Amino acid sequence: RARRPFVAPARPRGGAPTRGGRGGGERNDRSSRAVRRTDRSNRSIMSWGSPSGASSPAGASGVARRISVGEPPPNMERIDRDRGGRDTGPQGVLEFNCDFEGGNLGTTRMIGESEYELHVRADTENPRYRLWFHFCVRNNKPKQKVVFHVVNFSKSKSLYRDGMSPTVRSQSDPAWKRIHPKHVFYYKSGKKERGGGGAAAARESAAEKKNQPVMTFVHVFDRPDEAYYFCYSYPFSYSHQQRLLSDLERRRLPFVTRELLCRSVQNRRCDVLMIGDQTRYKHRGGTNKRKVI
């Protein structure tokens, strides 16, 4: 979205006092700082992990994201445009981003040269459920092997223990593929063996102290300067669902009826599909009998 450039008003010579006893120059400086803060808060947040634990400008609350109703999933070019002009870390220090439809990630922490600890942001209005993740990674080295630890899952049992694995895609290979199961591990944090003490013990997170489920997976990046997407499983976005339902509705099939049940808190459609001949099923009293799926 194009923004008009902010032009700060001219500062009076000598900082002439204004109403309230403050210098005009001081007030102008404060207004320009406020606009800069507002402009930063409206931008998409893209952070890269650091050994100190500062993962994003959003702080402990996680990475901010904006999702518009009916907005199609963004392509790679949009993320490239958002990235223009930003300061990045040295190559090999990954950047994380979830500012797209269906994206979800909380805080990130770099705990080794190629090892990251990730926290999943909880479901809306329900902090007890932490399962879905979908994020983008950039700034990798060629052939770099990285270990990701998702440390705050809310489910003690998962299909990851039975062979399921996260999915990944990239710019050069846009089709979603599952990571090989031998590179995926699901376990309780208390069972993880840690060697040594001192700094290694200090890196132990609060999630590990609570003996929460952890999912660890390993990925080897093929090419640099590409966006890689990681997801809990194959994503099915709201926009994709609405396109499928709209295409089905345009076909005017006699045995399919689409109705609006209600709208969500974020004003998204909750549709109901009724499948079957509406005139065929009748009770003895003459009322229509419908089968709802």
Side-chain angles (χ1 to χ4, degrees), residues 31-84:
S31 63
S32 63
R33 287 197 298 269
V35 171
R36 285 197 296 271
R37 285 197 298 270
T38 304
D39 182 66
R40 285 198 300 269
S41 63
N42 289 333
R43 295 177 184 172
S44 303
I45 294 178
M46 182 179 297
S47 62
W48 52 278
S50 62
S52 61
S55 61
S56 71
S61 60
V63 180
R65 58 193 175 114
R66 300 190 304 274
I67 300 175
S68 301
V69 176
E71 179 185 359
N75 52 22
M76 306 291 185
E77 287 75 17
R78 173 189 163 187
I79 292 182
D80 288 339
R81 290 197 303 269
D82 291 344
R83 187 170 174 263

Side-chain angles (χ1 to χ4, degrees), residues 96-291:
F96 294 86
N97 179 25
C98 66
D99 187 18
F100 50 86
E101 184 180 16
N104 187 51
L105 184 66
T107 58
T108 65
R109 190 166 68 121
M110 186 177 182
I111 60 176
E113 184 177 356
S114 295
E115 189 173 3
Y116 293 84
E117 189 178 82
L118 312 179
H119 287 75
V120 177
R121 174 180 282 185
D123 288 359
T124 303
E125 302 297 335
N126 200 337
R128 291 170 44 190
Y129 292 94
R130 302 173 304 276
L131 188 67
W132 177 260
F133 63 85
H134 188 187
F135 58 89
C136 173
V137 169
R138 299 201 63 138
N139 201 40
N140 58 280
K141 293 180 181 179
K143 304 301 180 181
Q144 181 180 2
K145 179 186 291 187
V146 179
V147 181
F148 299 95
H149 305 284
V150 184
V151 299
N152 68 328
F153 274 128
S154 58
K155 292 181 64 176
S156 59
K157 297 181 180 180
S158 173
L159 290 177
Y160 285 139
R161 301 172 60 182
D162 299 324
M164 192 179 87
S165 58
T167 56
V168 61
R169 71 180 177 96
S170 63
Q171 287 176 290
S172 58
D173 191 5
W176 286 102
K177 295 181 180 178
R178 288 199 181 273
I179 298 174
H180 199 284
K182 71 177 183 180
H183 298 151
V184 180
F185 311 92
Y186 198 84
Y187 53 91
K188 285 292 185 69
S189 57
K191 297 179 180 179
K192 184 178 179 181
E193 297 293 336
R194 285 185 173 271
R203 289 199 303 262
E204 195 171 35
S205 65
E208 292 174 322
K209 294 178 182 178
K210 295 179 182 178
N211 199 29
Q212 289 186 347
V214 177
M215 192 270 290
T216 297
F217 65 95
V218 182
H219 182 73
V220 179
F221 293 91
D222 297 327
R223 304 179 181 180
D225 300 326
E226 280 196 4
Y228 289 82
Y229 289 80
F230 297 91
C231 192
Y232 175 84
S233 187
Y234 294 101
F236 185 74
S237 66
Y238 172 81
S239 298
H240 183 51
Q241 178 206 59
Q242 292 300 307
R243 285 195 297 269
L244 291 178
L245 294 179
S246 298
D247 293 342
L248 187 63
E249 195 173 24
R250 281 193 292 268
R251 297 175 63 180
R252 299 182 180 276
L253 300 175
F255 51 85
V256 178
T257 304
R258 177 189 182 188
E259 293 183 2
L260 176 64
L261 176 65
C262 61
R263 288 189 177 270
S264 69
V265 176
Q266 297 174 332
N267 201 32
R268 291 178 174 83
R269 290 179 57 98
C270 295
D271 293 282
V272 174
L273 286 183
M274 288 179 289
I275 302 174
D277 188 355
Q278 303 300 317
T279 62
R280 182 177 177 181
Y281 303 100
K282 290 186 178 180
H283 289 294
R284 292 182 179 179
T287 59
N288 290 333
K289 179 183 177 181
R290 298 189 300 182
K291 293 185 177 182

